Amino acid sequence: MRPRTVDEFVGQDHILGEGRLLRRAIQADMLSSVIFSGPPGTGKTTLARVIANTTEGRFVSLNAVLSGVKDVRTAIDEATQHRELHGRRTILFVDEVHRWNKAQQDALLPWVENGTVILIGATTENPFFEVNAALVSRSRVFQLKPLGAPELYRIARDALRDPDRGYGAVNVEIDDDALDHLVTVADGDARSLLNALQLAVETTPETFPPPTGTTIHVTREVAEDSIQRKAVLYDKEGDYHFDTISAFIKSLRGSDADAGLYWLARMIAGGEDPRFIFRRMLILASEDVGMADPQALLTVEAAARAFDRVGMPEGRFHLAQAALYLATCAKSNSTLGFFDALSAVEEEKQAEVPRHLRDANRDAKGFGHGQGYLYPHAYTDHWVAQNYLPGELRERVFYQPSNQGWESRIREEVQRRREVQLSIMMEPGDDADILTVSPEARNRERWLARLAETRGRIITDIRERLASDLTRHETVLLGGSSPLPVLWELVRRAPEGGIFASLATEKVLETARAQAEQLPEIERPTLIEGDIVEAISEPAARGLPSHFDRIVGRNVVGRRAAKVESFASLAGALNRGGRLMLAESVPSAFKRLSELAREAGVAEDLLGGVERAEGRVFSDPENAMFNWEADDLPEFARRAGFSRVEAEVREYQDSRLIAEKDLRAWVFGRDGSREKHSYAAALAEELGEEELEALFARICAAFCNREVRRPTTVVFLSADA
């Protein structure tokens, strides 16, 4: 039942789904060196055989357990001959490639690099640790996941129906609970499922195949006998070791006691050293609990000591108690303030100890060391405000008490004393460079700085937001205005997926194609010309997939008359659970001509005409550009059928040079044409030509070829199909 083609392959849609890189490379016979990594039974060898059935090149298979350097050299010699004599490339499949030692892997490296062979490696281990870095760097790594229950059911039913390679020619009846058991115990492993199914079917009758007309009935009991519980997959030296302890620690950090006990049980069942687990819990007790519950460190240490005295198996109670305490206690990571202090030490290596804090026993008389120090025990509450940091670091705050547990009780006192400390730093003293600062002040300064960012920074911010949370395997359709910065960020973030872009103008399309030439052909995005909403109405004719995992765009629907219908078209082009990510500028929030006119000192009669024209434009229900506000977009999306619609309105401040031609187009219309519903048409209805000329001249004299600050309001909308 091993699949023979890409279409027969079940599962791994994240790398083999419609429009994705690996599928395109196999179908186009343009595969470069790859490494397939994943658990047993997920299809690594099957994928290699599918490639063997598809490629026109030679396909050679080696098993790293059974072959060595001699076999590699033989395969390389044959590949070289076929390349030189027949111009035919060789695809070399190495199963369990991690079993080769460094010398064996090195023997393959030069021939992969010069193209003599195209390597397909398969491994159940993490290739970044178990395969030579040089070999990994020259290969594209694809991670295969355990198959889900729906995929395993499909595989089992296909095997029962197939008359040639399965049991379609035999009358097999399998109880639902029997099949459920096989799928559950197989746990994502298709090979295990098929082996168990074969054993159940072929051992139920006295002879196989049974006499014609005989029904083979597979019950739950037969299924249980045919498949045994899998051993706990746990390698104390490999990925499962690190992944499982990571899951355990993250569960405790996340206060999930159930998950903590589960991962603890996984480690103990797999033979993990309990002392290693206790060491990690001791670290967590200070790193993630810390001052929120100082007793956590004592509890874990006591449990560790008790375990040393008691041992296994009863020592498991001490492991469980420590894990439960850490999972259920208050959390704080304020001890990380030490690493902020360490960074400050590295940055300020020459910072001197303040004079009043120096040792007075040796140099008090000659250099005044210790002079000015205030002895805390001589004051009320055994505390007095004074500076304890070097002068260059007086404004630095390293410890931020949380509001959790015991630490919440000291938080107010720490903050109160810190405020006093900062206030005395403002007073003049021996050091003229005393500085004062607070976290709030720094945040305000950064916020003010962001308001003054250039247009390029705004584009960068929009690009990052539109590309956020994108996974490496998604298929994405991009469209709208100013798409190129977003396009290449999508290509970078989804290298194993498929990127498609509908570009509005031929000029933008040519620019994108020129930039794409720098990429290998198989990695280039698919580029078409046209409006994105129109493109998805006929995807096949445009060379696009019918559905996408994500649609991304800037100013896609805001200027369209039928906004709800446009949203509905976008929803129809998304896979179930797919996401729409839009950044829509709000034209009604732009700086208005009347604001410029007022600032330029335009006469009141002219200003009144401009304001009346603007009122006409912004209240026109047929004006697609201005007849909506930021709050309307989420409602349009919901009416179109989107779920989990979220919108964030963000205002940017940027500077623009007002060119004379742009101002003229604003006042008189582009090329003198006053289209219906346009700004220029509304102005012409309120003002005569002489008044328009006077208006233009006054504003141009004040602002043409000068920087004008203007707000830009952008709605970031995300919605799930």
Side-chain angles (χ1 to χ4, degrees), residues 476-480 500-504 509 526-548 551-552 556 560 566 569-570 572-574:
V476 187
L477 175 62
L478 170 69
F500 302 81
S502 182
L503 306 177
L509 179 62
T526 300
L527 306 173
I528 64 171
E529 182 182 354
D531 177 79
I532 183 174
V533 177
E534 296 174 2
I536 58 179
S537 65
E538 44 181 7
R542 302 293 186 96
L544 299 176
S546 58
H547 293 83
F548 300 88
I551 295 179
V552 176
V556 170
R560 302 182 71 88
S566 299
S569 297
L570 295 170
L574 283 168

Side-chain angles (χ1 to χ4, degrees), residues 29 85 117 128 131 158 200 213 254 259 290 309 352 364 370 417 435 454 470 481 495 499 507 552 594 668 688 698:
D29 198 9
L85 297 178
V117 297
F128 295 100
V131 180
D158 286 347
R309 295 182 64 181
E352 295 185 353
R417 290 182 174 178
L435 302 174
T454 63
L470 184 65
S481 64
I499 306 300
K507 182 178 180 181
V552 176
S594 61
F668 297 101
R698 184 69 180 180

Side-chain angles (χ1 to χ4, degrees), residues 27-211:
Q27 292 175 334
D29 198 9
M30 295 177 62
L31 195 71
S32 58
S33 292
V34 297
I35 295 176
F36 297 135
S37 170
T42 52
K44 300 183 294 297
T45 304
T46 295
L47 259 182
R49 295 185 180 275
V50 166
I51 293 168
N53 295 335
T54 306
T55 182
E56 294 182 0
R58 292 178 66 247
F59 188 88
V60 178
S61 178
L62 295 177
N63 189 299
V65 177
L66 304 175
S67 59
V69 173
K70 180 181 178 181
D71 301 289
V72 174
R73 288 174 179 165
T74 300
I76 295 300
D77 290 342
E78 293 175 354
T80 303
Q81 292 177 15
H82 278 271
R83 185 183 186 188
E84 293 175 350
L85 297 178
H86 308 293
R88 193 180 183 199
R89 64 180 185 158
T90 297
I91 296 177
L92 177 62
F93 172 58
V94 182
D95 201 6
E96 304 291 339
V97 65
H98 64 277
R99 295 294 189 97
W100 271 348
N101 59 35
K102 186 177 186 300
Q104 291 170 312
Q105 294 182 30
D106 284 343
L108 190 60
L109 180 61
W111 312 107
V112 171
E113 188 162 7
N114 67 18
T116 300
V117 297
I118 294 172
L119 171 68
I120 300 178
T123 176
T124 56
E125 301 295 329
N126 187 330
F128 295 100
F129 292 106
E130 302 299 332
V131 180
N132 280 7
L135 208 55
V136 171
S137 69
R138 288 160 177 80
S139 307
R140 189 178 291 273
V141 178
F142 291 94
Q143 185 175 6
L144 281 69
K145 302 176 181 178
L147 300 179
E151 294 158 341
L152 292 178
Y153 280 114
R154 176 182 165 186
I155 290 171
R157 288 176 178 133
D158 286 347
L160 293 173
R161 286 194 295 259
D162 192 302
D164 299 320
R165 298 184 297 152
Y167 298 120
V170 182
N171 187 14
V172 178
E173 292 181 359
I174 183 168
D175 292 345
D176 289 343
D177 60 346
L179 184 56
D180 292 342
H181 179 75
L182 293 179
V183 168
T184 300
V185 178
D187 193 24
D189 186 334
R191 182 189 297 109
S192 175
L193 172 68
L194 289 174
N195 287 342
L197 187 63
Q198 179 179 7
L199 190 62
V201 170
E202 297 187 12
T203 59
T204 297
E206 294 183 0
T207 60
F208 187 87

